[in-house]
Amino acid sequence: MFAWLLLVPLALLAILWTVLRLRRRAAARAEAGDGPVADDSPADQPLPPPPKPLGILAQAVNLACGDDAAAIATQLPGLPRPGLHPSLRDRDGLPVLAAFQKDLETSLVEDQLSGGTGRRPIQEHLRALALLEPVALGLFEAAALQLPPLPEVEERVVAGLRRRIGSAPDDAASVHVLVILPQDMPSALRDAAGAWLRELAADVGLDPRRSTFEVVAAADAGDVWQRVQGLSAGQAVPADAWHLLLASASLIGERGVQALAAQGRLASGSHIEGVVPGEGAAGVLLRPHGATLPQDAEEAGVGLLAIQRQQAAGGVTPRQAAQSSAGLLEGVLASTTTPAADVAMVLTDADQRPSRSVEAAVAAANTCPELDPATQCPALGNASGCLGHVAPLALIALAAAAAREADAPVAVLSVEAVGMRHAALLGRADAIDESLSSDAGPGPDVAA
C-alpha cells in the first residue's frame, strides 16, 4: 500500500517534471538559435534508402480496455486502469491487479476445440482463443471483401449434382494467414485452432482456394516484431500475397498468475517493477509492396512506413535508456524524411512500471517536443496490462486507426520486449507502388 500510494504517484510526478523540463530546455535552445551538435543530429547522417511501406488494409483489436481501435487510440489516456481481480490471488493470498474482460464467454470455443485435442484446454488458452474469434472474423471478412473477385468458373451437372469445374488461376490474388499463439499452448491445441480458424474464414466468404494458413508460437513481443520487420524488408513468402497477422494471449488464470510470480515478474505493493497480467487479441491485414491492390484503394491509404530495432543496453541509467530510445525514434523519422512536427501521436506499450513509463515518456518528449505528453503520448500498457506477444499487433492496429483518423503520421515505440526496443512509423501511403522505386530497401536494423 505504501508503494502504490506514495512511490507510484511520485514516479508519475517525476515523469511529468522531466518532460516539462525537457520541453522548456528545447524551447530555450530554439529561442537562442542553438541547434543540436552536428555529430548527434540525424540530419547530418547519410539517410538510408526509403523503405517499402506495408499497406494496412484493415485492423482489429479485442482488449480488456475495448474492441474499437480508433476509440482506444483517442481515449487511451482517460481509460480506466486495471483493478483487483475478484478471485485470482498471489502467493501471499492477496488479490492481484489484472486487466481482463469480465464477461468473456469461453464455452463455445471449448465445445469447438475440446473434441480435436481429447482434453479440456486450460483457462488461459480458452480465453486467448475466445478473444481471438471476433478479431479473426472481422479480418477474414475484410479480406474477402477487398480481394479482387476470381474469374467465374464453369459449372456442370455431374451425377445429378451441380459442380464447379476449375480452380483459382495461378496469378490470382491470395492472402497468407499467420496465427501467432502462446508458446506454452500444446501443439495439438494449436493445430485444432488452425483448423477451426480455417472453417471460420470459409464461413464468412474467404475462398479456401486463395488463402493459406500457418499457426506458430511466440515467446514474447520480440518474436512478432521480427516477423513484421521481415515482411517490411520484403522477406515474405509468398512475396506477392497479402498477409493477415493474428495474435492472442491471456494471463488471466491461476496458471498465468503463478507463472509470473515464479519468475518474480508479478506486480505487487512491494514490487512496483512487476507486470500486471492482461489479455487480448489483435490483427492486421497487410499488403506488401508490389502485391495486388484492393478493390477499394482508399483502404490502402495508411501504411507501415518504417520499422527499426535496437538492443537495449543493460545497466544504464533511466536517462540513458530514454536517450537511446529517442535516438531510435529519430532514426525511424529520418528514414522516411518525416519532420517531428508532423507527427500527431507517439503511441507506446509502456505500463505502470516506472522504468518503462519514464523511458517511453522522456523518449517521446525528446523526439516530438511539440506534443502534449498527457494526451498525445499515450501508453497502452497502462490500460491493457501485459499483452506479451500481442502488443506489437495491438500497437500497429491502434496507430493505423489513429493515423487514418488524424490524416497524419503516428509513431510507435515498443519497450515490452526484454533486451530490445522497436520503433515504427505509420502514415499515409496512398501511392505505395508509384512513389517508391523498385530497388528501394527497408530501413536499417539499428544496433545499440
Side-chain angles (χ1 to χ4, degrees):
M1 291 181 63
F2 172 78
W4 283 108
L5 296 177
L6 181 61
L7 297 183
V8 171
L10 287 177
L12 294 175
L13 290 174
I15 294 173
L16 291 176
W17 179 82
T18 303
V19 169
L20 292 175
R21 182 180 179 187
L22 289 171
R23 294 180 67 182
R24 287 196 297 267
R25 185 178 300 174
R29 285 200 301 265
E31 292 178 0
D34 296 331
V37 180
D39 292 339
D40 296 334
S41 174
D44 296 327
Q45 303 294 333
L47 295 179
K52 298 177 181 178
L54 287 170
I56 300 179
L57 307 180
Q59 69 281 324
V61 296
N62 189 15
L63 308 175
C65 55
D67 58 5
D68 186 320
I72 295 175
T74 56
Q75 301 171 12
L76 188 55
L79 293 179
R81 298 299 185 256
L84 295 176
H85 194 277
S87 60
L88 295 178
R89 299 290 184 269
D90 61 14
R91 290 182 170 181
D92 297 326
L94 299 175
V96 300
L97 289 170
F100 60 99
Q101 287 196 6
K102 295 182 180 179
D103 301 319
L104 182 63
E105 178 60 54
T106 61
S107 60
L108 295 178
V109 174
E110 182 178 357
D111 293 341
Q112 292 284 336
L113 299 177
S114 295
T117 62
R119 57 186 300 180
R120 183 182 186 275
I122 64 173
Q123 182 69 13
E124 290 85 342
H125 296 161
L126 282 176
R127 294 184 69 88
L129 294 173
L131 289 163
L132 179 61
E133 183 176 11
V135 172
L137 285 172
L139 291 177
F140 290 156
E141 185 175 2
L145 292 174
Q146 295 189 54
L147 280 171
L150 289 175
E152 294 185 4
V153 297
E154 181 182 358
E155 289 190 354
R156 296 180 183 175
V157 177
V158 180
L161 298 176
R162 186 176 297 275
R163 300 179 183 273
R164 289 187 173 185
I165 306 301
S167 60
D170 294 337
D171 59 349
S174 62
V175 57
H176 180 69
V177 181
L178 178 66
V179 186
I180 308 172
L181 298 175
Q183 192 175 43
D184 64 344
M185 183 177 288
S187 59
L189 181 56
R190 291 201 299 266
D191 293 341
W196 168 64
L197 290 170
R198 288 186 186 92
E199 293 180 1
L200 292 181
D203 290 343
V204 299
L206 184 58
D207 196 322
R209 297 175 298 169
R210 62 196 316 184
S211 61
T212 57
F213 280 75
E214 181 183 2
V215 181
V216 299
D220 60 10
D223 291 348
V224 180
W225 279 117
Q226 185 174 0
R227 289 182 177 274
V228 176
Q229 191 168 20
L231 292 177
S232 179
Q235 300 170 2
V237 178
D240 58 347
W242 295 0
H243 292 265
L244 200 166
L245 275 57
L246 299 169
S248 68
S250 175
L251 292 171
I252 305 303
E254 290 292 341
R255 181 173 174 175
V257 170
Q258 294 306 320
L260 288 176
Q263 298 166 7
R265 299 178 57 215
L266 182 63
S268 65
S270 59
H271 186 33
I272 60 175
E273 280 294 330
V275 300
V276 173
E279 62 182 359
V284 289
L285 178 60
L286 303 175
R287 174 189 167 259
H289 174 77
T292 304
L293 284 169
Q295 292 197 81
D296 185 359
E298 288 298 321
E299 291 299 322
V302 172
L304 178 60
L305 306 180
I307 179 172
Q308 294 183 13
R309 66 178 181 179
Q310 70 181 13
Q311 293 181 351
V316 299
T317 65
R319 181 176 181 179
Q320 291 172 326
Q323 290 176 340
S324 178
S325 293
L328 180 61
L329 276 173
E330 292 168 359
V332 166
L333 297 183
S335 70
T336 58
T337 64
T338 301
D342 292 349
V343 177
M345 177 186 295
V346 177
L347 181 64
T348 77
D349 57 5
D351 51 25
Q352 87 295 337
R353 290 174 289 177
S355 61
R356 298 296 198 274
S357 57
V358 169
E359 176 183 343
V362 175
N366 279 350
T367 307
C368 303
E370 296 183 1
L371 296 181
D372 184 350
T375 60
Q376 295 175 299
C377 302
L380 176 59
N382 284 336
S384 68
C386 178
L387 293 176
H389 68 269
V390 179
L393 297 188
L395 283 178
I396 293 172
L398 297 182
R404 189 173 284 113
E405 289 287 327
D407 195 21
V410 172
V412 165
L413 174 64
S414 176
V415 296
E416 171 64 27
V418 178
M420 193 68 68
R421 298 293 181 261
H422 298 82
L425 183 70
L426 294 91
R428 301 297 298 180
D430 297 284
I432 293 177
D433 294 297
E434 292 78 5
S435 62
L436 299 173
S437 61
S438 59
D439 59 349
D445 184 359
V446 183

